[in-house]
Amino acid sequence: MFEKIPAELKAVPNWVCWRLLPDAERGKPRKVPYDPRSGKAAASNDPATWCDFDTAVSAANDYNGVGFMFGNSPYFGVDIDGVADELPRYMEGEPGLLSDFVDALQSYTELSTSGTGIHIICRGKLPQGGRRHGNIDMYESGRFFVLTGRSVSQDPDIVDC
């Protein structure tokens, strides 16, 4: 399931597990990161609550899955939500928002848990300025991505962006 996640990402101890929990305030469930070693919530600003890839994967059956914390590493993530209509066109190689991002970044890209968005993980630093625009969010710290291993990359390596 996680075979296509790049080895260099697996080698970084930024891994957590996650659970989908109700959130009455938001009116929809939220993904909460957990340290599988302690069973307690993981903190996006505390690497001591993160673990290695193998530990996270070994514990994943007790949770909803695994995730990667941004911060304390050379990686950033691009999250593009709500593109279910574009995904088939992207998969067929047609131009559009998804192909623009994926072609420009040329880095590891996978489908989100919902199957209606994508996550792109790159090595590098985000430029200063806005990191949110419409359905696009970019993170280099303070957040985590749930990873599915459902790669849509032609070459699923991480590249410098």
Side-chain angles (χ1 to χ4, degrees):
M1 176 175 193
F2 301 115
E3 300 84 25
K4 291 187 178 183
I5 294 174
E8 81 171 79
L9 205 60
K10 291 177 181 177
V12 179
N14 288 42
W15 293 90
V16 294
C17 290
W18 65 276
R19 285 192 174 119
L20 196 60
L21 298 178
D23 187 337
E25 191 174 300
R26 289 176 23 154
K28 65 179 186 173
R30 65 186 176 107
K31 298 172 186 105
V32 178
Y34 282 86
D35 177 349
R37 297 165 303 180
S38 69
K40 296 180 180 177
S44 62
N45 62 353
D46 185 2
T49 64
W50 311 344
C51 65
D52 63 272
F53 177 78
D54 290 335
T55 299
V57 170
S58 293
N61 287 336
D62 296 331
Y63 298 88
N64 291 104
V66 301
F68 184 84
M69 284 285 188
F70 290 101
N72 210 34
S73 76
Y75 302 103
F76 70 88
V78 178
D79 179 15
I80 306 176
D81 292 322
V83 291
D85 293 344
E86 276 198 55
L87 280 169
R89 291 192 304 273
Y90 165 73
M91 298 302 277
E92 294 295 321
E94 294 180 24
L97 173 70
L98 291 184
S99 60
D100 289 349
F101 265 91
V102 175
D103 290 350
L105 297 175
Q106 295 184 3
S107 198
Y108 177 70
T109 305
E110 67 170 40
L111 291 175
S112 65
T113 55
S114 67
T116 63
I118 62 168
H119 292 152
I120 305 169
I121 299 178
C122 298
R123 190 180 326 105
K125 292 282 185 193
L126 287 174
Q128 294 298 322
R131 296 189 178 168
R132 288 183 171 204
H133 183 72
N135 62 332
I136 302 167
D137 296 309
M138 294 177 274
Y139 309 108
E140 65 183 1
S141 65
R143 298 291 181 128
F144 81 106
F145 274 180
V146 165
L147 291 188
T148 63
R150 298 186 304 177
S151 174
V152 295
S153 299
Q154 297 294 347
D155 181 4
D157 287 331
I158 303 281
V159 300
D160 292 323
C161 296

